[in-house]
Amino acid sequence: MVAAASLAWTTAALTVASLAEEWPPRLIVAGPIGMGAGLFGIAALMVPGPVAALLFPICLVGIGIGAAWAFVAQRVMSGAKANEENIAAASVATVQQAGIALGAAVAGLVANASGLGSALHSGAVHRAAFWVPMTFVVVALAAAMIGLRLNLMARRSRPQRTIAANSALR
C-alpha cells in the first residue's frame, strides 16, 4: 500500500511537471483536496475493508501530494526576497520534516485518545483506524485553504514585481 502511494505520488509529479502556467495555482488547491478525499476514504474503508478497497484512497493521497508539492515549493522559493533564496529553499525541507514529526505526534495522540493507549482491543483499534485519518482530513482541507491564500498573495504581488522590474530597466 505504501508503494502504491509512492508510485501515485511520483506519477502525478511527473505528469504535472510540464503543465502550462495556469495549472499550478489550481493544483496547489486541488492536491490537498484530493489528499483529504483519500484520507476520508481510508477512514471510511479501513475498518469494514477489504484491504484492497484501500488502494484507491491511498493512491488518491499520493496523487494529491504529487500534484501539489513541487508547485508549493516553487511558490515558496520564487516568493523569497532578493538574497534570501537559499533560506527559502532550506525552509521547504525544514518545514516538511517538522510537519512529518508533528503529524506523527498528532497521530499518536489521536490513537491514544481513541483507546489504543490503554489496551489493544478491537473497539480501540477500530476507533483509531477511523479517527487518525479523519484528523488529517481537516489538515488537508486547511492546506487547500492556505493554497487559496497563497494564490491570492501571488496574484497581488505580480503587478508590484512588474512595476519594480520596469523601474529597474529604466
Side-chain angles (χ1 to χ4, degrees), residues 27-51:
L27 293 171
I28 286 172
V29 176
I33 291 171
M35 291 168 52
L39 288 163
F40 181 81
I42 291 167
L45 297 171
M46 182 72 77
V47 174
V51 173

Side-chain angles (χ1 to χ4, degrees), residues 21-161:
E21 274 186 43
E22 67 267 6
W23 282 98
R26 296 173 187 164
L27 293 171
I28 286 172
V29 176
I33 291 171
M35 291 168 52
L39 288 163
F40 181 81
I42 291 167
L45 297 171
M46 182 72 77
V47 174
V51 173
L54 293 171
L55 189 60
F56 178 72
I58 286 173
C59 285
L60 196 53
V61 172
I63 290 168
I65 294 168
W69 178 246
F71 297 124
V72 170
Q74 178 186 34
R75 187 68 55 85
V76 168
M77 288 185 266
S78 68
K81 295 178 183 175
N83 299 323
E84 292 184 2
E85 296 88 355
N86 290 339
I87 295 168
S91 74
V92 171
T94 303
V95 170
Q96 182 183 24
Q97 294 300 313
I100 290 168
L102 180 61
V106 168
L109 289 171
V110 171
N112 283 336
S114 299
L116 281 183
S118 58
L120 192 60
H121 56 85
S122 63
V125 172
H126 290 174
R127 283 190 302 277
F130 177 79
W131 284 110
V132 170
M134 279 303 289
T135 300
F136 292 103
V137 168
V138 175
V139 175
L141 294 178
M145 297 304 294
I146 291 168
L148 285 171
R149 176 78 174 131
L150 193 59
N151 287 338
L152 288 173
M153 289 171 58
R155 277 191 211 122
R156 288 183 192 147
S157 71
R158 279 188 199 128
Q160 294 170 351
R161 286 185 186 170

Side-chain angles (χ1 to χ4, degrees), residues 9-30:
W9 177 340
T10 303
T11 302
L14 292 172
T15 301
V16 303
S18 62
L19 291 177
E21 274 186 43
E22 67 267 6
W23 282 98
R26 296 173 187 164
L27 293 171
I28 286 172
V29 176

